[in-house]
Amino acid sequence: MSKIFGERYEVIEQIGAGGMAIVFKAKDLLLNRVVTIKVLREQFVTDEDFIRRFRREAQSAASLSHPNIVSIYDVGKDGDMEYIVMEYVEGRNLKEIIREYAPLSNDQTINLARQITGAIQNAHTHHIIHRDIKPHNILVTADGHAKVTDFGIARAVSSATVTHTGDIVGSVHYLSPEQAKGIQSNEQSDIYSLGIVLYELLTGKVPYDGETPIAIALKHLQQEPVPPSKLNPRIGKELEGVIMRAISKAPERRYQTAKDLLEDLNHIQAGQPIAWFDAFQADDPEKTQTHKGMSEALAPIGIKSSAPPRAVNKKRRLMIIGGFVLLLALLVGGLWKYLAVESTTVPNLVGKIVPVAEEYLKQRKLTLDPEIAYEFNSEVKEDYIIKQDPQADTSIKAGRTVKVVVSKGIELIEFPNVMVGQMSKENAINMITNAEFTGEIKFAYKTDDAAKDSVIDQNPAPKAAWPKNGNITLTLSAGPQWETINMPNVIGRLSSEAKMILEDQNKLVLRIETELSDTSPEGVVTRTVPNPGESVQQGSEVTMYVSRGPGPYAQGIGDQAGNNPVSVARLLTNLRQYND
């Protein structure tokens, strides 16, 4: 029997594995769709701080909605296993495509670059930084549609205990200089990593490589990249300029926003010039400057920016040692700064409105995180806090921010119409479930001419605003209650009148035939099968024969000229109207 997570997601097969998670293809049994599930590895599930960060970042990323971003559907826990449910994308990751097809053409690269940049721009607009842009995290479908995955999750991973380094080797080739220094990453960090990806698409190689992750990180800080056109002369000069600007070591020389980068990619695709291109080529201090950054940081311990050939190995060892020393110094400095701040206790904010929570935090020398999350909640009234992080009574340093989740109240959504076309009970339940209603569905039965078990009434009414977890009542047809009756006598009546008597009043299924008659006027019933007075079951078929003439005619009755004799049928109709 296959594994089912959360009593909802049935595993189909394993499709991947990384340092953080094992990836499965699965079926959502509730919504009947294929999804991707990432299940955290065992070494992470015991780290409560990491799990809390992981859930928070995943929930934040779930707010993103963009055609080039893999959607996050759910975050859950099954036993000891933490998992995240994502959109399933039929395709391959960009690293596999690079290995097989790189270098790509200018047009292919620009097409992919525009899609990836659009995804990054959307995330940055929502104040979410990816922090781990690399080909492994970009999926491409067979028709060339790119989707970026794992938004926000890299932040949780980067904060995890230093023993979890399974993905470091794969990410260091795309690491920004500020990330290599341990400085807080920002939008420009994602742009740098994207620039490295574009470099690799056009050349088939990353600009910096080495024997160890630290050696590669140092090259991001010290070494100038070989212009990609040296490796692939077919690269357009302006496209090369865009890449070189994106991977500038100084963040202020890079694109300041993904929107700016996307605009330049659009210009290149449209054959339009880029305004800054000539000035950037003429005034690029990174082409002539000596290696700064890490070299200057390591100077106090005797490492120079250059060395004679026979000292290369020694220099490499010293650089690695120096890197560790610098990293240790940064950690110690940060720790000392952290310890010097006084501690305070987090107040209980659950059940309070935001202005009151801000006042409580101010009294404890804390602040409210301006990025307030909102969730529908059927138990907590709108505008009241339902969650907080850190939790109440937690001891933290003064000056820190506290995140809160505020209730949006009961979620009301439009209820579907399940009475269309005598819909079956099963189809009605599927429609209600697919509309994401989760309340209990109750059933009532009523005698009706509709098909048995078809929906003949519903509460709530079609298109009514209804709580997602509100109770639902469907009235189903119990089928018609037929009786045995005597065949009514409709001989001599007009066919329209007889039809109403047989079908509407006596619930018979009527078949009408016509026949010639010299005794009955046109349109009058001549006979029935079965005969009048014979037993017949309601719901069964009977046959009614109607005269199509010529029939008898009244003599001497006509217009003033003696023409147009009036039919007996017409006379009968006039007599009935007179008697009425």
Side-chain angles (χ1 to χ4, degrees):
M1 183 176 178
S2 59
K3 169 66 179 174
I4 298 180
F5 287 94
E7 299 182 352
R8 175 173 177 178
Y9 306 106
E10 182 178 18
V11 170
I12 298 173
E13 60 179 326
Q14 181 175 330
I15 57 176
M20 182 187 76
I22 301 173
V23 187
F24 297 97
K25 179 181 179 181
K27 181 179 181 181
D28 183 340
L29 300 177
L30 181 59
L31 299 181
N32 193 28
R33 64 182 175 186
V34 177
V35 296
T36 297
I37 296 185
K38 288 194 172 185
V39 182
L40 288 183
R41 291 188 178 275
E42 293 180 2
Q43 61 263 37
F44 286 95
V45 299
T46 57
D47 188 338
E48 294 183 1
D49 289 338
F50 170 75
I51 293 298
R52 186 168 60 252
R53 285 190 297 269
F54 171 78
R55 288 179 178 170
R56 184 175 65 238
E57 296 301 329
Q59 290 169 354
S60 177
S63 65
L64 298 178
S65 178
H66 190 273
N68 297 114
I69 295 177
V70 174
S71 299
I72 295 178
Y73 295 146
D74 193 7
V75 179
K77 182 176 183 180
D78 191 298
D80 293 331
M81 291 180 286
E82 299 278 346
Y83 63 86
I84 179 170
V85 182
M86 313 172 78
E87 172 188 2
Y88 177 75
V89 179
E90 187 72 51
R92 297 190 294 173
N93 70 51
L94 194 55
K95 190 66 175 180
E96 294 171 334
I97 294 174
I98 289 172
R99 291 191 185 111
E100 186 170 348
Y101 297 106
L104 273 63
S105 69
N106 290 342
D107 288 341
Q108 289 172 323
T109 300
I110 291 172
N111 179 45
L112 289 170
R114 291 175 65 248
Q115 296 182 65
I116 301 166
T117 307
I120 294 173
Q121 177 190 352
N122 179 265
H124 289 179
T125 301
H126 291 81
H127 310 292
I128 295 176
I129 303 169
H130 193 292
R131 295 181 173 83
D132 194 21
I133 293 292
K134 58 184 179 182
H136 314 69
N137 287 335
I138 301 168
L139 304 176
V140 182
T141 64
D143 59 357
H145 189 75
K147 280 183 171 281
V148 185
T149 188
D150 286 354
F151 267 101
I153 297 175
R155 178 176 180 179
V157 175
S158 65
S159 302
T161 160
V162 293
T163 59
H164 304 321
T165 57
D167 284 337
I168 297 280
V169 175
S171 301
V172 71
H173 293 96
Y174 311 92
L175 203 67
S176 68
E178 54 270 24
Q179 287 174 298
K181 291 179 183 179
I183 301 174
Q184 179 71 30
S185 54
N186 54 21
E187 286 88 348
Q188 283 72 48
S189 302
D190 281 352
I191 293 172
Y192 181 93
S193 299
L194 175 57
I196 300 292
V197 173
L198 302 186
Y199 187 108
E200 188 178 11
L201 284 172
L202 288 165
T203 65
K205 297 180 179 180
V206 291
Y208 308 114
D209 204 355
E211 296 177 359
T212 65
I214 290 180
I216 299 171
L218 288 173
K219 289 183 179 180
H220 281 288
L221 293 165
Q222 295 180 312
Q223 186 172 302
E224 292 304 320
V226 176
S229 60
K230 297 291 184 182
L231 304 177
N232 179 6
R234 293 176 297 176
I235 298 174
K237 288 298 181 184
E238 289 195 334
L239 180 55
E240 180 179 64
V242 166
I243 294 173
M244 296 301 286
R245 181 177 177 183
I247 62 174
S248 296
K249 296 192 183 302
E252 62 273 12
R253 286 185 56 79
R254 288 178 220 149
Y255 288 96
Q256 295 305 294
T257 67
K259 179 183 178 182
D260 295 337
L261 171 56
L262 183 57
E263 288 178 354
D264 281 351
L265 290 170
N266 291 336
H267 283 313
I268 294 175
Q269 188 181 53
Q272 300 171 349
I274 300 176
W276 54 264
F277 177 69
D278 292 335
F280 184 82
Q281 290 291 94
D283 182 26
D284 188 356
E286 292 185 355
K287 292 184 177 180
T288 57
Q289 69 181 7
T290 57
H291 301 318
K292 296 183 179 181
M294 198 61 142
S295 296
E296 293 180 352
L298 301 179
I301 58 173
I303 295 179
K304 306 296 183 181
S305 61
S306 61
R310 64 177 180 272
V312 170
N313 291 334
K314 180 178 179 181
K315 175 186 175 183
R316 179 179 295 169
R317 288 195 299 271
L318 288 174
M319 288 172 65
I320 293 173
I321 295 172
F324 278 121
V325 171
L326 177 62
L327 179 61
L328 181 61
L330 290 172
L331 290 173
V332 171
L335 181 62
W336 175 258
K337 182 179 179 181
Y338 178 80
L339 293 174
V341 178
E342 65 175 298
S343 296
T344 186
T345 303
V346 179
N348 184 10
L349 306 179
V350 175
K352 299 174 177 61
I353 59 175
V354 169
V356 174
E358 288 178 322
E359 186 62 31
Y360 272 58
L361 292 171
K362 184 178 180 180
Q363 295 173 6
R364 304 287 180 91
K365 299 182 179 180
L366 299 170
T367 57
L368 185 69
D369 192 315
E371 296 183 16
I372 299 173
Y374 292 86
E375 291 181 3
F376 288 106
N377 191 289
S378 59
E379 298 178 357
V380 180
K381 290 193 300 183
E382 185 178 0
D383 295 331
Y384 284 80
I385 295 171
I386 54 179
K387 300 176 188 174
Q388 67 180 81
D389 183 27
Q391 298 296 321
D393 299 325
T394 303
S395 179
I396 62 174
K397 296 297 180 180
R400 282 189 56 185
T401 60
V402 177
K403 288 181 174 288
V404 296
V405 178
V406 175
S407 172
K408 293 168 67 174
I410 298 175
E411 182 176 9
L412 300 177
I413 56 179
E414 184 178 293
F415 197 83
N417 183 359
V418 294
M419 296 189 295
V420 179
Q422 295 189 6
M423 186 178 296
S424 69
K425 172 183 176 182
E426 291 74 18
N427 288 342
I429 293 173
N430 286 337
M431 179 178 283
I432 292 169
T433 302
N434 290 339
E436 299 186 358
F437 285 93
T438 59
E440 181 183 0
I441 302 178
K442 299 178 180 179
F443 301 98
Y445 289 87
K446 181 180 177 182
T447 299
D448 193 87
D449 291 344
K452 184 176 174 59
D453 284 336
S454 61
V455 180
I456 57 175
D457 197 9
Q458 65 179 76
N459 184 25
K463 296 187 177 182
W466 196 253
K468 289 184 67 173
N469 64 343
N471 291 337
I472 300 158
T473 300
L474 301 181
T475 302
L476 307 179
S477 171
Q481 295 293 319
W482 304 131
E483 298 178 358
T484 300
I485 61 173
N486 294 327
M487 179 69 178
N489 186 2
V490 293
I491 297 173
R493 294 180 179 271
L494 291 174
S495 60
S496 57
E497 183 182 5
K499 184 174 184 293
M500 181 182 66
I501 293 171
L502 296 176
E503 286 188 336
D504 297 344
Q505 296 178 11
N506 290 278
K507 309 298 183 186
L508 295 171
V509 178
L510 185 61
R511 184 163 66 93
I512 301 176
E513 301 285 348
T514 62
E515 62 182 6
L516 295 172
S517 175
D518 293 329
T519 59
S520 296
E522 182 182 354
V524 173
V525 179
T526 59
R527 60 192 176 97
T528 60
V529 176
N531 294 316
E534 292 181 355
S535 296
V536 64
Q537 179 74 29
Q538 285 182 324
S540 61
E541 184 179 84
V542 298
T543 304
M544 179 176 76
Y545 291 86
V546 179
S547 171
R548 62 173 183 267
Y553 291 93
Q555 299 297 319
I557 302 176
D559 58 17
Q560 293 179 354
N563 300 320
N564 253 354
V566 180
S567 70
V568 174
R570 179 69 176 269
L571 287 173
L572 289 173
T573 301
N574 292 338
L575 286 172
R576 284 196 182 91
Q577 291 175 347
Y578 178 81
N579 290 332
D580 290 341

